[in-house]
Amino acid sequence: MQILDIIDKAADFAEGFAEAGRHRFTSAVILAGGIGSRMTKGLGTDVTKQFLTLGGEPVILRTVRMFDLCPLIDEIILVVRPEEKAQYMPLLASAQIKKPVRFAKGGETRQDSALAGLKAVNDKCEYIAIHDGARPLILPEQITAVAKEAYRLGAAAAASRAKDTVKITDGAQMVKSTPERENVWLASTPQIFKIEEYRAAVYIGMEKQIKVTDDCSLAEAVGFPVKMVDVGYQNLKLTTVEDLYFAEAILAMRGEKENHAEV
Protein backbone atom coordinates (compact mmCIF):
# COMPACT_ATOMS: atom_id res chain seq x y z
CA MET A 1 0.00 0.00 0.00
CA GLN A 2 1.32 3.43 -0.96
CA ILE A 3 1.99 5.98 1.78
CA LEU A 4 -0.65 8.33 0.33
CA ASP A 5 -3.25 5.56 0.53
CA ILE A 6 -2.37 5.01 4.19
CA ILE A 7 -2.71 8.74 4.90
CA ASP A 8 -6.08 8.87 3.11
CA LYS A 9 -7.40 5.87 5.08
CA ALA A 10 -6.22 7.39 8.35
CA ALA A 11 -7.94 10.67 7.48
CA ASP A 12 -11.17 8.83 6.62
CA PHE A 13 -11.03 6.93 9.93
CA ALA A 14 -10.40 10.12 11.92
CA GLU A 15 -13.29 11.88 10.17
CA GLY A 16 -15.60 8.93 10.83
CA PHE A 17 -14.61 8.78 14.49
CA ALA A 18 -15.17 12.52 14.91
CA GLU A 19 -18.61 12.15 13.33
CA ALA A 20 -19.45 9.20 15.59
CA GLY A 21 -18.26 11.08 18.67
CA ARG A 22 -20.04 14.36 18.00
CA HIS A 23 -22.79 15.55 20.29
CA ARG A 24 -26.19 14.07 19.53
CA PHE A 25 -29.48 15.17 21.07
CA THR A 26 -29.55 13.06 24.22
CA SER A 27 -32.47 12.69 26.61
CA ALA A 28 -31.81 11.57 30.18
CA VAL A 29 -34.57 9.45 31.69
CA ILE A 30 -34.15 9.30 35.46
CA LEU A 31 -36.15 6.58 37.17
CA ALA A 32 -37.40 7.81 40.55
CA GLY A 33 -40.69 5.98 40.95
CA GLY A 34 -39.62 3.40 43.52
CA ILE A 35 -40.36 3.38 47.24
CA GLY A 36 -37.05 1.98 48.47
CA SER A 37 -38.62 -0.24 51.12
CA ARG A 38 -35.34 -1.68 52.39
CA MET A 39 -34.06 1.84 53.01
CA THR A 40 -37.25 3.18 54.59
CA LYS A 41 -37.62 0.15 56.88
CA GLY A 42 -34.00 0.39 57.91
CA LEU A 43 -34.36 4.06 58.82
CA GLY A 44 -37.83 3.65 60.33
CA THR A 45 -39.36 6.31 58.08
CA ASP A 46 -42.02 6.49 55.39
CA VAL A 47 -40.03 9.09 53.41
CA THR A 48 -39.00 7.53 50.10
CA LYS A 49 -35.25 7.35 49.57
CA GLN A 50 -35.12 9.90 46.74
CA PHE A 51 -36.21 12.56 49.25
CA LEU A 52 -33.64 11.69 51.91
CA THR A 53 -30.82 14.20 51.91
CA LEU A 54 -27.23 13.39 51.11
CA GLY A 55 -24.46 15.95 51.44
CA GLY A 56 -27.01 18.60 52.35
CA GLU A 57 -29.49 18.10 49.49
CA PRO A 58 -32.14 15.56 48.47
CA VAL A 59 -30.82 12.46 46.76
CA ILE A 60 -32.88 12.99 43.61
CA LEU A 61 -31.82 16.61 43.28
CA ARG A 62 -28.15 15.63 43.43
CA THR A 63 -28.82 13.06 40.70
CA VAL A 64 -30.62 15.58 38.49
CA ARG A 65 -27.88 18.15 38.99
CA MET A 66 -25.22 15.77 37.65
CA PHE A 67 -27.14 15.40 34.40
CA ASP A 68 -27.86 19.12 34.29
CA LEU A 69 -24.11 19.77 34.46
CA CYS A 70 -23.26 17.26 31.72
CA PRO A 71 -22.82 19.15 28.41
CA LEU A 72 -24.05 16.18 26.34
CA ILE A 73 -27.48 16.00 28.00
CA ASP A 74 -30.20 18.10 26.36
CA GLU A 75 -33.26 17.34 28.47
CA ILE A 76 -34.24 15.44 31.60
CA ILE A 77 -37.30 13.23 32.03
CA LEU A 78 -38.14 12.42 35.64
CA VAL A 79 -40.20 9.26 36.01
CA VAL A 80 -41.92 9.62 39.38
CA ARG A 81 -44.79 8.48 41.54
CA PRO A 82 -47.78 10.73 40.69
CA GLU A 83 -48.46 11.51 44.36
CA GLU A 84 -44.91 12.82 44.76
CA LYS A 85 -44.76 15.03 41.67
CA ALA A 86 -45.67 18.20 43.57
CA GLN A 87 -42.64 17.74 45.83
CA TYR A 88 -40.26 18.09 42.91
CA MET A 89 -41.36 21.54 41.77
CA PRO A 90 -39.89 23.62 44.61
CA LEU A 91 -36.73 21.47 44.65
CA LEU A 92 -36.02 22.06 40.97
CA ALA A 93 -36.86 25.74 41.23
CA SER A 94 -34.52 26.29 44.17
CA ALA A 95 -31.69 24.44 42.45
CA GLN A 96 -31.96 26.53 39.26
CA ILE A 97 -31.73 23.49 36.99
CA LYS A 98 -31.01 24.82 33.51
CA LYS A 99 -31.98 21.88 31.29
CA PRO A 100 -35.65 21.34 30.39
CA VAL A 101 -37.26 18.94 32.87
CA ARG A 102 -40.46 17.00 32.20
CA PHE A 103 -42.28 14.34 34.17
CA ALA A 104 -43.58 10.89 33.34
CA LYS A 105 -45.67 8.58 35.48
CA GLY A 106 -43.81 5.68 37.07
CA GLY A 107 -45.08 2.17 36.40
CA GLU A 108 -45.40 -0.98 38.48
CA THR A 109 -42.03 -2.33 37.29
CA ARG A 110 -38.74 -0.81 36.22
CA GLN A 111 -39.49 -1.79 32.62
CA ASP A 112 -42.85 -0.01 32.80
CA SER A 113 -41.18 3.14 34.13
CA ALA A 114 -38.47 3.05 31.45
CA LEU A 115 -41.17 2.72 28.79
CA ALA A 116 -42.98 5.75 30.24
CA GLY A 117 -39.73 7.71 30.04
CA LEU A 118 -39.16 6.59 26.46
CA LYS A 119 -42.62 7.83 25.45
CA ALA A 120 -41.92 11.23 27.04
CA VAL A 121 -38.66 12.11 25.24
CA ASN A 122 -38.42 14.95 22.74
CA ASP A 123 -39.04 14.11 19.08
CA LYS A 124 -35.48 15.30 18.40
CA CYS A 125 -34.03 12.63 20.68
CA GLU A 126 -31.22 10.63 19.05
CA TYR A 127 -29.88 8.89 22.17
CA ILE A 128 -31.58 7.98 25.42
CA ALA A 129 -29.76 7.74 28.76
CA ILE A 130 -31.55 5.62 31.37
CA HIS A 131 -30.39 6.27 34.95
CA ASP A 132 -31.44 5.19 38.42
CA GLY A 133 -32.52 8.15 40.53
CA ALA A 134 -30.91 6.43 43.51
CA ARG A 135 -27.41 6.71 41.98
CA PRO A 136 -26.58 10.30 43.00
CA LEU A 137 -22.79 9.88 42.95
CA ILE A 138 -22.39 9.67 39.18
CA LEU A 139 -20.28 12.56 37.86
CA PRO A 140 -20.88 14.66 34.72
CA GLU A 141 -17.59 13.54 33.18
CA GLN A 142 -18.58 9.90 33.66
CA ILE A 143 -21.92 10.51 31.93
CA THR A 144 -19.96 12.12 29.10
CA ALA A 145 -17.64 9.11 28.82
CA VAL A 146 -20.58 6.71 28.54
CA ALA A 147 -22.38 8.95 26.03
CA LYS A 148 -19.33 9.20 23.76
CA GLU A 149 -19.01 5.43 23.62
CA ALA A 150 -22.74 5.14 22.89
CA TYR A 151 -22.41 7.69 20.07
CA ARG A 152 -19.54 5.64 18.66
CA LEU A 153 -21.00 2.14 19.04
CA GLY A 154 -24.75 2.53 19.49
CA ALA A 155 -25.01 1.43 23.12
CA ALA A 156 -22.87 1.80 26.24
CA ALA A 157 -23.31 1.50 29.99
CA ALA A 158 -21.54 2.65 33.13
CA ALA A 159 -19.95 -0.25 34.97
CA SER A 160 -17.14 -1.31 37.27
CA ARG A 161 -14.79 -4.27 37.05
CA ALA A 162 -15.44 -7.11 39.50
CA LYS A 163 -12.93 -7.08 42.36
CA ASP A 164 -13.88 -10.49 43.71
CA THR A 165 -14.01 -13.94 42.18
CA VAL A 166 -17.57 -14.55 40.97
CA LYS A 167 -19.32 -17.91 41.32
CA ILE A 168 -22.30 -19.04 39.26
CA THR A 169 -24.57 -21.35 41.27
CA ASP A 170 -27.65 -23.47 40.76
CA GLY A 171 -30.94 -23.17 42.68
CA ALA A 172 -29.42 -24.98 45.64
CA GLN A 173 -26.52 -22.50 45.88
CA MET A 174 -24.05 -25.09 44.59
CA VAL A 175 -21.26 -23.75 42.38
CA LYS A 176 -21.67 -24.54 38.70
CA SER A 177 -18.90 -22.39 37.19
CA THR A 178 -16.39 -19.61 37.81
CA PRO A 179 -16.15 -16.99 35.03
CA GLU A 180 -12.82 -15.32 34.28
CA ARG A 181 -12.71 -12.28 36.55
CA GLU A 182 -11.22 -9.96 33.90
CA ASN A 183 -14.40 -10.48 31.86
CA VAL A 184 -16.82 -9.84 34.75
CA TRP A 185 -18.36 -6.38 35.11
CA LEU A 186 -20.90 -4.94 37.56
CA ALA A 187 -23.39 -2.97 35.49
CA SER A 188 -24.73 0.34 36.77
CA THR A 189 -26.23 3.41 35.10
CA PRO A 190 -26.46 5.53 33.02
CA GLN A 191 -27.09 3.10 30.20
CA ILE A 192 -27.19 4.99 26.92
CA PHE A 193 -28.63 3.75 23.63
CA LYS A 194 -29.32 4.98 20.13
CA ILE A 195 -33.01 5.75 20.32
CA GLU A 196 -34.06 3.54 17.38
CA GLU A 197 -32.23 0.53 18.82
CA TYR A 198 -33.62 1.09 22.29
CA ARG A 199 -37.17 1.54 21.04
CA ALA A 200 -36.88 -1.67 19.02
CA ALA A 201 -35.48 -3.54 22.03
CA VAL A 202 -38.30 -2.31 24.27
CA TYR A 203 -41.09 -3.31 21.92
CA ILE A 204 -39.55 -6.65 20.97
CA GLY A 205 -39.12 -7.31 24.68
CA MET A 206 -42.79 -6.53 25.25
CA GLU A 207 -43.87 -8.77 22.38
CA LYS A 208 -41.76 -11.67 23.63
CA GLN A 209 -42.58 -10.94 27.29
CA ILE A 210 -38.90 -10.65 28.21
CA LYS A 211 -38.45 -9.66 31.87
CA VAL A 212 -35.19 -7.91 32.76
CA THR A 213 -33.74 -5.89 35.63
CA ASP A 214 -31.76 -3.42 33.53
CA ASP A 215 -31.82 -2.02 30.01
CA CYS A 216 -28.56 -3.66 28.93
CA SER A 217 -30.21 -7.02 29.52
CA LEU A 218 -33.06 -6.00 27.24
CA ALA A 219 -30.62 -4.94 24.50
CA GLU A 220 -28.70 -8.20 24.90
CA ALA A 221 -31.90 -10.24 24.72
CA VAL A 222 -32.71 -8.86 21.28
CA GLY A 223 -29.13 -8.99 19.97
CA PHE A 224 -27.78 -5.43 20.39
CA PRO A 225 -24.18 -5.30 21.69
CA VAL A 226 -23.41 -2.96 24.62
CA LYS A 227 -20.02 -1.50 25.55
CA MET A 228 -19.09 -1.43 29.27
CA VAL A 229 -17.49 1.87 30.35
CA ASP A 230 -15.46 1.78 33.57
CA VAL A 231 -16.60 4.53 35.96
CA GLY A 232 -14.88 3.14 39.05
CA TYR A 233 -16.47 2.03 42.31
CA GLN A 234 -18.16 5.18 43.65
CA ASN A 235 -21.34 5.07 41.56
CA LEU A 236 -23.37 3.40 44.33
CA LYS A 237 -27.06 2.64 44.14
CA LEU A 238 -28.67 3.60 47.44
CA THR A 239 -30.58 0.49 48.47
CA THR A 240 -29.89 -0.09 52.17
CA VAL A 241 -29.03 2.13 55.13
CA GLU A 242 -25.40 1.02 54.83
CA ASP A 243 -25.29 2.42 51.29
CA LEU A 244 -26.28 5.83 52.62
CA TYR A 245 -23.31 5.88 54.98
CA PHE A 246 -20.96 4.65 52.27
CA ALA A 247 -22.21 7.48 50.05
CA GLU A 248 -21.59 10.01 52.80
CA ALA A 249 -18.04 8.69 53.14
CA ILE A 250 -17.48 9.10 49.41
CA LEU A 251 -18.73 12.69 49.54
CA ALA A 252 -16.45 13.36 52.49
CA MET A 253 -13.53 11.96 50.48
CA ARG A 254 -14.53 14.30 47.65
CA GLY A 255 -14.55 17.15 50.15
CA GLU A 256 -18.32 17.58 50.34
CA LYS A 257 -20.45 17.97 53.44
CA GLU A 258 -21.56 14.85 55.31
CA ASN A 259 -25.24 14.86 56.18
CA HIS A 260 -28.39 12.84 55.69
CA ALA A 261 -31.85 13.48 57.00
CA GLU A 262 -35.48 13.49 56.01
CA VAL A 263 -36.92 16.38 54.01
Side-chain angles (χ1 to χ4, degrees):
M1 182 181 291
Q2 298 296 317
I3 188 66
L4 290 178
D5 292 334
I6 295 174
I7 293 172
D8 286 343
K9 286 185 177 295
D12 290 343
F13 176 81
E15 183 179 351
F17 183 84
E19 174 66 14
R22 72 172 175 83
H23 176 210
R24 312 294 180 89
F25 192 103
T26 303
S27 303
V29 173
I30 299 177
L31 306 178
I35 297 174
S37 57
R38 278 178 284 181
M39 179 76 77
T40 57
K41 287 180 182 178
L43 290 173
T45 178
D46 57 0
V47 176
T48 51
K49 64 184 175 183
Q50 54 265 33
F51 291 110
L52 296 173
T53 62
L54 177 68
E57 66 180 344
V59 166
I60 190 61
L61 187 56
R62 178 176 289 274
T63 304
V64 170
R65 178 177 283 108
M66 295 302 102
F67 283 83
D68 189 50
L69 292 173
C70 178
L72 298 187
I73 298 299
D74 295 282
E75 67 169 352
I76 297 168
I77 311 298
L78 273 172
V79 185
V80 305
R81 300 170 70 197
E83 62 270 29
E84 293 183 340
K85 182 178 176 180
Q87 294 178 248
Y88 287 90
M89 303 304 186
L91 292 180
L92 296 172
S94 64
Q96 299 181 331
I97 299 299
K98 297 179 176 59
K99 303 282 174 65
V101 178
R102 294 202 305 282
F103 291 88
K105 180 181 177 181
E108 292 185 6
T109 67
R110 188 185 190 284
Q111 277 181 267
D112 292 337
S113 292
L115 176 60
L118 171 63
K119 291 179 177 179
V121 300
N122 193 296
D123 290 341
K124 295 187 291 185
C125 176
E126 297 177 80
Y127 282 77
I128 184 169
I130 311 293
H131 188 71
D132 297 317
R135 290 190 188 272
L137 299 178
I138 192 70
L139 296 171
E141 56 266 32
Q142 294 170 338
I143 301 168
T144 294
V146 178
K148 286 184 175 179
E149 285 299 285
Y151 297 166
R152 189 168 71 90
L153 299 170
S160 58
R161 292 183 179 275
K163 295 180 181 180
D164 302 318
T165 298
V166 174
K167 301 292 184 180
I168 307 300
T169 66
D170 60 17
Q173 299 179 8
M174 300 300 292
V175 174
K176 294 176 62 178
S177 63
T178 305
E180 292 291 334
R181 187 165 60 186
E182 61 266 25
N183 295 324
V184 177
W185 291 78
L186 307 180
S188 59
T189 63
Q191 299 180 358
I192 304 180
F193 308 88
K194 192 172 184 179
I195 190 69
E196 293 90 347
E197 291 184 3
Y198 183 71
R199 187 175 284 115
V202 166
Y203 286 104
I204 291 172
M206 290 171 58
E207 182 179 337
K208 295 185 176 181
Q209 297 185 330
I210 300 171
K211 303 298 181 184
V212 297
T213 55
D214 80 335
D215 297 279
C216 283
S217 298
L218 190 61
E220 295 161 37
V222 299
F224 292 136
V226 183
K227 173 70 178 291
M228 295 284 98
V229 179
D230 194 347
V231 298
Y233 300 100
Q234 296 183 10
N235 186 27
L236 302 180
K237 184 176 182 182
L238 304 182
T239 304
T240 66
V241 175
E242 290 84 357
D243 296 328
L244 199 58
Y245 288 101
F246 292 148
E248 289 177 341
I250 290 170
L251 291 183
M253 184 175 65
R254 292 178 181 177
E256 297 190 40
K257 178 182 176 183
E258 290 188 42
N259 178 44
H260 78 274
E262 299 174 13
V263 295

